[in-house]
Amino acid sequence: MKKSIPRYTFYKHKYGSELLVDVVELKYVKRFLAEGAAHTLTYYDITFITEGEGRFSIDNQICEAIPGDVFFSKPGEIRNWDTAHIADGYALIFEDEFLSSFFKDPLFVQHLPFFNLEKTASKLHLSDELYKRMMQLLHDIKAEIDLYRQNDIHVLRALLYEALMLLNRGYLNMLSQGEKDKEAGSIHVSRFVELVGANLKEQHSVRFYADKLCITPNYLNEVVNSAMNLSAKQYILNKIMDEAKKQLIYTDISISDLSFELHFSTVAYFVRCFRQCTGETPLAYRKLYKP
C-alpha cells in the first residue's frame, strides 16, 4: 500500500495559550524527520542554514544549501532536506492567520515575492550584515516567545513583520531589474484578479481597479496584457459575463433584473455586451443551457 507524504501541523498550544509563531532549531526538527524524508507543512516556514552543507528541495526544486542560505516554503509544498549533512539552523514558522488578522491586506503574506502563490521561491543567500541582523531578530523573537504573555502578541507581530520586510528587501536586491519588474507586475495581476472577483457586480471600470492598486490604468493594462494576453477591460467584462452565465443557468432571475444587478446602464447595453462575448442573447443562452 502506498504511503502518504507526512504532513506536519502547527503546534498551537506549545506554550500554553494559543500562539501561531515560533522559532525552532533544525537539530530539534531533525528528530522528527527520517533521513531524506519528504514531508509537507500546513504553515509558512522560513529555514535559515547556519551549519553544514547539503541538498534542500521544495516541490522538486533542488538547491545546494550552505550556511547563510534561507529557504521559504508555503503550506502544502513538498519539502525534503539532507538531515545527515545540514547540521543546524533555525526555522521561523507561523500561520497566515497570525498576520492576516492584523493587517488591512488579508493577503499580505502571499504578496511577498518569496511566498507568491504562483511559484516556488528561489533560495536567498544573506549578506554578512543581514545574516547577523536576522540571527539577532530570531533570538529576539525566541526570547519574546519564552516570556510570552497574551498582551505581548503585538511585539511578536512587529518582530515577525520586521523579519519579513528585511528578507523582502534582500530578496528583491537579489533579483535583476527585469525580474523585479516582472515580480511587481505579477503581484499587481494577482491582486487585480482578487479585486475583480470581489467587486465585479458593482465596478466595471479599469480606473477603479488601478486606483485600488495605486497604479495607472495604462500600467494595469500593460501587466494584465503581458500575463493574460488580453486587456484589463476585457478581463473584467469576461468575469462579469461568467457571472451572468451562472445566473442565467442556475437561477430564474429576469434579464432586466440581472442587468440591474450587474450594474449595466440599460438592459439593451447588457444584452449587446452579452451577445458580443457569447454569440447569443441572454434569453437564447438560458434556453440553450439551462437544465
Side-chain angles (χ1 to χ4, degrees), residues 61 63-66 69-72 121-125 171 174:
Q61 182 174 303
C63 298
E64 289 299 321
I66 62 172
D69 282 347
V70 183
F71 295 90
F72 307 89
S122 305
K123 72 176 181 182
L124 169 64
H125 186 76
Y171 189 85
M174 176 187 72

Side-chain angles (χ1 to χ4, degrees), residues 1 51 63 77 86 106 115-116 121 130 137-138 151 153 155 174 189 191-192 212 246 253 265 270 272-273 286:
M1 185 176 177
E51 294 179 38
C63 298
E77 291 181 325
I86 295 177
F115 284 139
N116 191 294
L130 184 53
L137 258 178
L138 293 176
N151 292 337
I153 197 164
V155 177
M174 176 187 72
V189 170
R191 186 69 180 127
F192 169 68
K212 284 285 186 183
K246 285 190 287 186
I253 189 172
S265 54
F270 167 62
R272 187 163 71 251
C273 289
R286 170 174 272 167

Side-chain angles (χ1 to χ4, degrees), residues 7-107:
R7 184 178 68 159
Y8 298 97
T9 57
F10 203 96
Y11 188 2
K12 298 182 180 182
H13 298 282
K14 179 178 176 181
Y15 301 97
S17 301
E18 180 178 276
L19 185 60
L20 302 181
V21 63
D22 202 1
V23 174
V24 292
E25 294 181 76
L26 295 191
K27 61 186 179 184
Y28 171 78
V29 173
K30 288 197 289 185
R31 298 181 200 172
F32 304 97
L33 298 175
E35 186 174 332
H39 59 280
T40 67
L41 308 174
T42 62
Y43 47 85
Y44 289 92
D45 180 292
I46 303 174
T47 297
F48 299 81
I49 310 298
T50 60
E51 294 179 38
E53 299 181 11
R55 292 200 309 172
F56 200 111
S57 73
I58 301 175
D59 273 3
N60 294 322
Q61 182 174 303
I62 302 172
C63 298
E64 289 299 321
I66 62 172
D69 282 347
V70 183
F71 295 90
F72 307 89
S73 65
K74 304 184 289 292
E77 291 181 325
I78 300 173
R79 298 154 38 94
N80 195 343
W81 50 282
D82 187 350
T83 55
H85 295 97
I86 295 177
D88 204 5
Y90 298 95
L92 173 58
I93 61 177
F94 62 96
E95 290 271 17
D96 186 31
E97 182 187 334
F98 186 70
L99 291 175
S100 64
S101 62
F102 181 70
F103 289 114
K104 271 188 175 182
D105 181 1
L107 297 172

Side-chain angles (χ1 to χ4, degrees), residues 74-250:
K74 304 184 289 292
E77 291 181 325
I78 300 173
R79 298 154 38 94
N80 195 343
W81 50 282
D82 187 350
T83 55
H85 295 97
I86 295 177
D88 204 5
Y90 298 95
L92 173 58
I93 61 177
F94 62 96
E95 290 271 17
D96 186 31
E97 182 187 334
F98 186 70
L99 291 175
S100 64
S101 62
F102 181 70
F103 289 114
K104 271 188 175 182
D105 181 1
L107 297 172
F108 166 77
V109 177
Q110 293 93 319
H111 290 156
L112 294 167
F114 41 77
F115 284 139
N116 191 294
L117 292 173
E118 298 175 9
K119 68 170 192 173
T120 300
S122 305
K123 72 176 181 182
L124 169 64
H125 186 76
L126 303 177
S127 65
D128 290 344
E129 181 183 352
L130 184 53
Y131 178 84
K132 290 175 185 175
R133 192 165 175 187
M134 291 309 304
M135 290 302 106
Q136 183 60 54
L137 258 178
L138 293 176
H139 176 271
D140 293 345
I141 292 171
K142 182 60 177 167
E144 282 293 330
I145 289 172
D146 289 340
L147 297 170
Y148 177 65
R149 294 183 299 276
Q150 196 67 38
N151 292 337
D152 295 338
I153 197 164
H154 293 308
V155 177
L156 282 168
R157 280 201 183 101
L159 290 170
L160 176 58
Y161 178 76
E162 183 180 355
L164 291 173
M165 290 298 95
L166 288 172
L167 291 169
N168 181 64
R169 181 192 296 171
Y171 189 85
L172 291 176
N173 286 341
M174 176 187 72
L175 300 177
S176 67
Q177 188 57 50
E179 289 173 316
K180 287 180 187 178
D181 292 342
K182 187 177 179 182
E183 199 72 57
S186 175
I187 292 169
H188 287 317
V189 170
S190 297
R191 186 69 180 127
F192 169 68
V193 169
E194 293 155 13
L195 286 168
V196 172
N199 297 279
L200 63 87
K201 288 185 179 181
E202 296 83 18
Q203 300 295 340
H204 299 185
S205 76
V206 174
R207 178 165 292 280
F208 169 83
Y209 296 102
D211 287 347
K212 284 285 186 183
L213 295 167
C214 300
I215 57 178
T216 66
N218 284 343
Y219 181 63
L220 178 56
N221 264 316
E222 184 182 320
V223 295
V224 171
N225 192 57
S226 176
M228 302 181 181
N229 203 29
L230 78 172
S231 69
K233 183 66 177 176
Q234 189 60 53
Y235 177 83
I236 295 165
L237 186 59
N238 287 352
K239 299 309 287 185
I240 294 168
M241 291 304 140
D242 286 346
E243 178 62 25
K245 290 175 191 175
K246 285 190 287 186
Q247 296 277 358
L248 290 167
I249 293 173
Y250 297 111

